[in-house]
């Protein structure tokens, strides 16, 4: 990289990982992101994208859906097992979107090709704002509920002393409900508080995460003791 191409990077510039196999689009994306003050890393297939994401911890990932070696859906799913990094999925097919965003795969947002660079920048910035708002753990607190111990700082849940592995969003949802035990929340409130104001997924996302949590935490998921459905309204956590 010669001096003229070298971007001006303000201190604390955020890093965006672009995973895109179409080299012309990858170049355009990188050029525009750098011009807007971002540090950019690139990967041209899914396997490389996953490796770079895990090794270098980017602040945002722009992830193409159709990729060689491993598609974007699989990359996203694997990242979501242990990471909350904001992910924008690029897709050519609008019918994929329901699956891509939120629920099954865990992307935070999507853009259907073709899209404008201006739109992409707006989405990247929106995701960074949300990540910043959510980043600090709520309290240092631990919450003790029956046989469950929720630790906000370590983001862990123990049941009878044994750690229960939860995905990041499962933990966030559980912690939010437990912290506000006894209070009923509808799905929209939960989406706003746990997923963030600009989340694009549907409210079914909440139902599925509740089901997963019950399966992991309740002695009998079919008749839960902590994560209760309030018919016609939403959910509440009881101690
Ligand atoms: Ca592609």
């Amino acid at each position: 990289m010669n001096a003229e191409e070298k971007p001006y990077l303000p201190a604390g510039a955020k890093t965006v990982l672009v995973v895109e196999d179409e080299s012309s689009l990858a170049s355009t994306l990188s050029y525009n992101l750098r011009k807007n003050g971002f540090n950019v890393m690139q990967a041209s297939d899914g396997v490389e994208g996953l490796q770079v994401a895990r090794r270098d911890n980017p602040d945002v990932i722009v992830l193409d859906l159709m990729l060689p070696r491993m598609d974007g859906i699989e990359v996203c799913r694997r990242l979501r097992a242990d990471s909350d990094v904001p992910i924008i999925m690029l897709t050519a097919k609008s019918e994929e979107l329901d699956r891509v965003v939120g629920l099954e795969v865990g992307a935070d947002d999507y853009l259907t090709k073709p899209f404008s660079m201006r739109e992409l920048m707006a989405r990247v910035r929106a995701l960074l704002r949300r990540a910043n708002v959510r980043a600090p753990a709520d309290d240092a607190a631990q919450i003790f509920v029956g046989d469950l111990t929720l630790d906000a700082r370590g983001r862990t849940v123990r049941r009878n002393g044994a750690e229960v592995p939860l995905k990041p969003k499962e933990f966030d949802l559980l912690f939010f409900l437990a912290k506000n035990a006894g209070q009923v929340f509808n799905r929209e409130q939960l989406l706003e508080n746990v997923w963030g104001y600009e989340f694009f997924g549907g409210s079914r996302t909440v139902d599925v995460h509740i089901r997963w949590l019950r399966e992991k935490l309740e002695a009998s998921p079919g008749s839960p003791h902590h994560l209760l459905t309030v018919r016609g309204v939403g959910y509440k956590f009881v101690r």
Side-chain angles (χ1 to χ4, degrees):
M1 186 181 285
N2 65 38
E4 254 165 85
E5 284 171 346
K6 193 164 186 170
Y8 165 69
L9 284 183
K14 298 291 185 184
T15 299
V16 181
L17 168 60
V18 175
V19 188
E20 170 59 73
D21 59 315
E22 289 168 50
S23 59
S24 61
L25 179 56
S27 305
T28 306
L29 288 169
S30 299
Y31 172 82
N32 281 279
L33 284 161
R34 289 195 174 109
K35 209 172 71 178
N36 280 273
F38 293 101
N39 192 11
V40 180
M41 294 183 292
Q42 288 188 53
S44 56
D45 67 61
V47 173
E48 188 193 358
L50 190 61
Q51 282 167 353
V52 175
R54 286 183 168 156
R55 191 188 62 209
D56 296 331
N57 289 318
D59 297 295
V60 175
I61 300 177
V62 177
L63 180 61
D64 190 27
L65 180 71
M66 302 293 281
L67 289 167
R69 295 176 78 198
M70 183 190 292
D71 70 20
I73 287 180
E74 188 58 25
V75 173
C76 191
R77 193 175 276 142
R78 291 191 188 199
L79 282 172
R80 275 292 170 265
D82 54 18
S83 166
D84 228 354
V85 60
I87 297 173
I88 301 179
M89 197 76 98
L90 305 182
T91 167
K93 299 187 262 175
S94 54
E95 68 266 29
E96 294 274 11
L97 297 180
D98 285 350
R99 296 183 53 220
V100 160
V101 176
L103 200 53
E104 285 178 58
V105 182
D108 297 275
D109 200 355
Y110 63 88
L111 279 170
T112 305
K113 294 178 185 177
F115 51 84
S116 73
M117 287 300 134
R118 202 175 146 191
E119 183 66 23
L120 177 81
M121 294 307 148
R123 303 292 185 92
V124 167
R125 290 202 177 96
L127 285 184
L128 282 169
R129 273 198 307 277
R130 277 164 52 187
N132 278 340
V133 170
R134 278 184 287 127
D138 263 292
D139 329 272
Q142 288 193 324
I143 298 176
F144 302 94
V145 189
D147 55 1
L148 300 178
T149 304
L150 282 64
D151 178 65
R153 189 172 285 168
R155 297 177 58 81
T156 53
V157 175
R158 289 176 185 279
R159 187 173 164 211
N160 294 322
E163 185 167 343
V164 181
L166 295 185
K167 294 178 184 175
K169 280 289 175 275
E170 291 173 347
F171 180 85
D172 291 342
L173 176 61
L174 176 67
F175 193 81
F176 179 79
L177 284 168
K179 192 177 64 175
N180 299 290
Q183 201 175 329
V184 183
F185 294 95
N186 65 33
R187 290 165 180 79
E188 286 67 33
Q189 290 169 321
L190 292 172
L191 283 173
E192 187 173 327
N193 282 285
V194 176
W195 277 262
Y197 187 59
E198 293 159 89
F199 183 71
F200 289 85
S203 59
R204 203 160 68 90
T205 301
V206 175
D207 301 338
V208 172
H209 280 76
I210 291 279
R211 197 181 76 221
W212 288 338
L213 281 171
R214 282 174 177 160
E215 282 164 5
K216 290 179 178 179
L217 298 170
E218 297 277 3
S220 135
S223 47
H225 284 108
H226 296 305
L227 289 159
L228 303 191
T229 301
V230 180
R231 200 169 291 276
V233 186
Y235 297 102
K236 71 173 175 182
F237 186 97
V238 296
R239 289 171 174 270

